[in-house]
Amino acid sequence: MVVYCDTNTKQIWDWLDTIPDPEIPVISIVDLGVVRDVDIERGAVKVTITPTYSGCPAMGVIAMDIDTELAKHGIKNLELKTQISPAWTTDWLSEKGRSRLERYGIAPPQAAGGPSRCPRCRSEKVEKISQFGSTACKAQWRCKECLEPFDYFKCI
Amino acid sequence: MLDTVNPLFEFLLRQGDNTLILGHRTSEWCGVGPALEEDIALANTALDLIGQTQLWLDYAAEVEGKGRSTNDLAFLRDAYAFRNILMLEVPNEDFGRTLMRQFLFDAFQVPWLTLLQDSTDQRVSDIAVKSLKEALYHLERSRGTVISLGDGTEESNRRMQQALSFLWPYSGEVFCDDEIDYAMAKVKVAPLPSEIRSIWLETVEGAFNLAYLIKPEGDFAHSGGRAGVRHTEHLGHMLATMQVLQRSYPGAKW
Ligand SMILES: [Zn+2]
């Protein structure tokens, strides 16, 4: 176990980067861009998070997971703050997160508003099934080459 | 009226109650949507709306400063304390009316939230920026669906026209400026709702043309919801379902 006084913010970012997103466990909450700030002030660790979508039901779980993970490393004095501004955007997804999403079968967000290719066979012949998907952050698309449906991470 | 109420609190209730009441109505489709994709879309839309409600009512509770929480405001107020427009509380009826209502609302929310981004109240501006991203996404879908169903089969066109005729007299309430609106406009927290009516009309008329739907005649607007002086008989029934848990088991948590 790491002793509390040895921790710095970089260390805390690394620990947070091991916490999987509750709904898409192949990426971490840091990859997703929901962790906005980490600060250590007078013995307290301050973590600021932001929701992806305003009604994202995973926020409660994310807060609990941060609490549990940091407690494992001996951090007891945690101040968790939620902020909505600046509003979360898919631009904050890390490069590591984007490639992991695709490997997992979820097409990463594109500024053009739709997936660039099928995450399975890489064909660019894709079509939209529905603007919404199994979670608030995804839409349903289909590949016209391999005929498989797939999730697309909505670009906002 | 302004002597007895806090206009900012009233303004925030109007925003949060609109999204709460529509969010709950929309959630009634969860599990019974006409197709799996639509069911999921409706549930996700409801979720966004309830999330936005949380942001508005959190702030409303703080501004009121009487110790009521966000949940108290949502689950322990009676019908006449609600400030939503009447259009959002009438029953879903069918998928067509549900999407037509969503469209009429989204077509208002998008320009409204766009202007609220410039509010002199930082918190209002932050909530508007966050909500607008979702509202834009909702508008894309509701507009597309209204056009597809209007320009669909004879049956789908007939039902969309029916939905439009029913909802039209409810659609004007949101533009009827009152003392609260004047008070908010004066301190530049929000523009006057009437100022965006022409943008709204342009959006809805454009879609109706593509959807082969006829805009009903007349400017009569059912009103009273925003001021809380009149609600339809449907709101009480809806609240009975929405609030039953907190009414039966006060303070229940999970
Ligand atoms: Zn494919």
Side-chain angles (χ1 to χ4, degrees), chain A residues 32-34 50-56 84 86-93 98 107-114 131-132 135-139 152-156, chain B residues 48 52 128-138 140:
Chain A
L32 188 61
V34 302
T50 194
T52 51
Y53 285 80
S54 53
C56 178
I84 59 162
W88 180 83
T89 152
T90 31
D91 296 344
W92 293 346
L93 266 174
R98 293 177 65 91
Q110 304 293 341
Q131 263 164 291
F132 290 85
T135 64
C137 55
K138 287 177 284 177
Y152 165 62
F153 205 101
K154 290 172 356 192
C155 185
I156 67 163
Chain B
D48 287 343
Q52 294 166 18
V129 171
K130 183 78 192 161
S131 305
L132 177 60
K133 287 177 175 237
E134 293 160 4
L136 279 163
Y137 205 80
H138 295 170
E140 198 183 317

